[in-house]
């Protein structure tokens, strides 16, 4: 039926990390002051219509602080909640963390690895912000420490990518993943469910494409309307034109989605969570991400289903 142990019905990121490191390891977000080619004029300005990076940055993250200070404050922040941590992964999260000359990347990544509690790096970026030279360097770095690259793919549909002003194509996502795989790099993909213009049928059909891509971990999250983004004004003018998932609908849909997903893909998360002051819609109340995970697991059991049940090669 399912093969991941501990009676879980999906391929869990927590179990994957424990298998690699033999213990609990926690991510620590870093804002290293990177920009984005879709904001700084390299390919465009204004950014994606849904993006406000401040909504996802922990309070200890600020580019005016150096890497060591952010890591120290992050460890203090997490120490009480995660007492069994055996190490930390420095997570370069804000904006596009390969969007700089390779010398800059080398300096910043090495600063993070100098911290005695850091056991590896996770680098969030876009598929159009890597090239062969950068991937060669990251492959070299991965031979001495854990390195994972998270690519914001968001959708497999180029019409959607244009609508959300993403600034890259799905073909570029495929290229980045394939070139990373050639070098033996661990990669993750980020997909948003419920983007404007995408029907539920389209999203379910997307699973066959996603399932064939060469990546290890997957982050899913619901489309949200965030304050101070380009989409906020559009949504407020005609909210009826942009139906968003209510929580019960999302739980059912995400189960439909992972039923069709390659069971080898490791699911890191199912939802995104932002501070209430940033959120316009949907309003799911004060329910937290871990509570939603519990609901998803409960419904998987009630439906007697699991990741990959309907997956077809």
């Amino acid at each position: 039926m399912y093969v991941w142990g501990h009676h879980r019905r999906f391929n869990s990121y927590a179990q994957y990390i424990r298998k690699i490191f033999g213990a609990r390891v926690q991510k620590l977000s870093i804002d290293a002051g990177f920009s984005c080619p879709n904001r700084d004029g390299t390919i465009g300005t204004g950014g994606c219509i849904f993006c406000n990076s401040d909504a996802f940055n922990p309070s200890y993250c600020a580019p005016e602080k150096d890497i060591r200070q952010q890591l120290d404050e992050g460890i203090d922040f997490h120490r009480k909640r995660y007492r069994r941590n055996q190490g930390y992964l420095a997570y370069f999260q804000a904006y596009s963390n390969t969007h700089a000359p390779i010398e800059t990347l080398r300096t910043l990544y090495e600063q993070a690895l100098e911290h005695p509690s850091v056991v590896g790096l996770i680098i969030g970026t876009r598929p159009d912000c890597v090239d062969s030279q950068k991937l060669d360097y990251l492959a070299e770095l991965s031979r001495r420490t854990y390195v994972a690259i998270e690519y914001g793919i968001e959708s497999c549909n180029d019409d959607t990518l244009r609508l959300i002003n993403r600034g890259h194509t799905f073909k570029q996502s495929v290229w980045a993943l394939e070139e990373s795989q050639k070098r033996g790099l661990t990669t993750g993909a980020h997909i948003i469910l419920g983007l404007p213009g995408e029907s539920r049928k389209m999203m379910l059909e997307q699973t066959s494409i996603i399932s064939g891509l060469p990546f290890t971990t997957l982050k899913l999250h619901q489309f949200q309307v965030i304050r101070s983004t380009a989409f906020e004004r559009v949504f407020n003018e005609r909210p009826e034109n942009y139906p968003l998932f209510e929580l019960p609908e999302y739980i059912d849909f995400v189960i439909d989605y992972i039923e069709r997903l390659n069971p080898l893909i490791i699911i890191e998360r199912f939802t995104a969570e932002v501070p209430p002051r940033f959120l316009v819609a949907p309003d799911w109340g004060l329910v937290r991400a871990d509570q939603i995970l519990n609901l998803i697991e409960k419904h998987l059991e009630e439906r007697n289903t699991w990741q990959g049940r309907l997956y077809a090669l």
Side-chain angles (χ1 to χ4, degrees):
M1 187 173 71
Y2 43 94
V3 296
W4 309 290
H6 305 292
H7 308 291
R8 302 199 85 165
R9 292 171 178 260
F10 68 95
N11 201 353
S12 157
Y13 182 77
Q15 291 171 221
Y16 160 75
I17 287 293
R18 187 172 290 276
K19 190 178 296 184
I20 290 176
F21 294 100
R24 183 186 176 90
V25 172
Q26 176 67 33
K27 283 185 180 183
L28 288 179
S29 295
I30 294 171
D31 185 340
F34 287 96
S35 182
C36 171
N38 203 16
R39 287 178 172 269
D40 67 8
T42 305
I43 62 169
T45 57
C48 304
I49 64 171
F50 57 79
C51 182
N52 178 353
S53 188
D54 291 340
F56 298 95
N57 256 6
S59 58
Y60 59 83
C61 285
E64 61 269 17
K65 301 175 184 177
D66 64 28
I67 301 295
R68 179 63 184 248
Q69 182 181 355
Q70 291 186 58
L71 289 170
D72 285 339
E73 291 182 12
I75 290 171
D76 288 340
F77 179 84
H78 287 290
R79 184 172 282 134
K80 291 182 180 178
R81 185 175 180 186
Y82 303 111
R83 296 182 180 180
R84 292 179 292 172
N85 278 341
Q86 298 297 308
Y88 295 89
L89 295 168
Y91 179 24
F92 286 82
Q93 179 181 19
Y95 295 114
S96 303
N97 292 273
T98 56
H99 183 48
I102 196 165
E103 296 78 13
T104 302
L105 302 183
R106 192 186 303 272
T107 298
L108 292 170
Y109 299 162
E110 293 292 347
Q111 284 177 10
L113 290 170
E114 287 170 3
H115 195 288
S117 296
V118 168
V119 296
L121 304 178
I122 299 177
I123 300 161
T125 193
R126 294 163 49 100
D128 57 346
C129 287
V130 294
D131 55 31
S132 295
Q133 183 187 29
K134 290 175 183 176
L135 291 174
D136 286 344
Y137 162 63
L138 291 171
E140 174 192 324
L141 192 59
S142 72
R143 287 190 278 273
R144 66 180 174 91
T145 191
Y146 178 82
V147 175
I149 312 172
E150 290 185 0
Y151 290 113
I153 294 173
E154 318 312 357
S155 174
C156 301
N157 187 303
D158 281 337
D159 289 337
T160 302
L161 294 173
R162 281 189 290 272
L163 180 63
I164 64 176
N165 195 39
R166 183 65 186 163
H168 66 74
T169 63
F170 179 60
K171 182 178 180 180
Q172 288 172 284
S173 297
V174 174
W175 180 89
L177 289 170
E178 290 179 345
E179 290 298 310
S180 299
Q181 182 194 44
K182 288 177 186 177
R183 292 163 173 81
L185 284 161
T186 298
T187 52
H190 185 272
I191 294 287
I192 300 176
L193 299 178
L195 286 165
E198 292 199 344
S199 68
R200 297 187 185 190
K201 182 175 182 290
M202 288 170 62
M203 288 183 275
L204 290 178
E205 290 173 347
Q206 174 180 261
T207 57
S208 62
I209 302 171
I210 292 294
S211 291
L213 295 177
F215 65 87
T216 304
T217 65
L218 176 64
K219 284 182 175 178
L220 298 171
H221 85 242
Q222 76 278 23
F223 181 63
Q224 298 170 294
V225 184
I226 307 298
R227 297 197 188 282
S228 302
T229 61
F231 191 69
E232 180 187 11
R233 177 183 57 80
V234 175
F235 178 81
N236 285 337
E237 288 176 356
R238 290 287 179 88
E240 67 277 5
N241 289 349
Y242 304 99
L244 302 173
F245 279 111
E246 296 298 332
L247 180 55
E249 294 176 313
Y250 186 76
I251 289 170
D252 281 336
F253 179 79
V254 86
I255 290 172
D256 292 342
Y257 192 93
I258 69 167
E259 281 183 316
R260 293 160 172 79
L261 199 64
N262 187 334
L264 297 179
I265 292 173
I266 295 154
I267 300 178
E268 182 169 353
R269 75 175 190 211
F270 292 96
T271 56
E273 187 176 2
V274 299
R277 68 183 185 277
F278 286 104
L279 185 63
V280 176
D283 182 5
W284 288 358
L286 298 178
V287 62
R288 301 297 303 269
D290 56 346
Q291 295 172 298
I292 296 173
L293 174 58
N294 290 338
L295 289 170
I296 289 170
E297 297 211 74
K298 178 183 176 184
H299 280 254
L300 283 166
E301 287 189 24
E302 289 174 350
R303 288 173 52 171
N304 190 26
T305 192
W306 55 90
Q307 178 184 343
R309 185 178 71 85
L310 301 178
Y311 171 67
L313 288 173

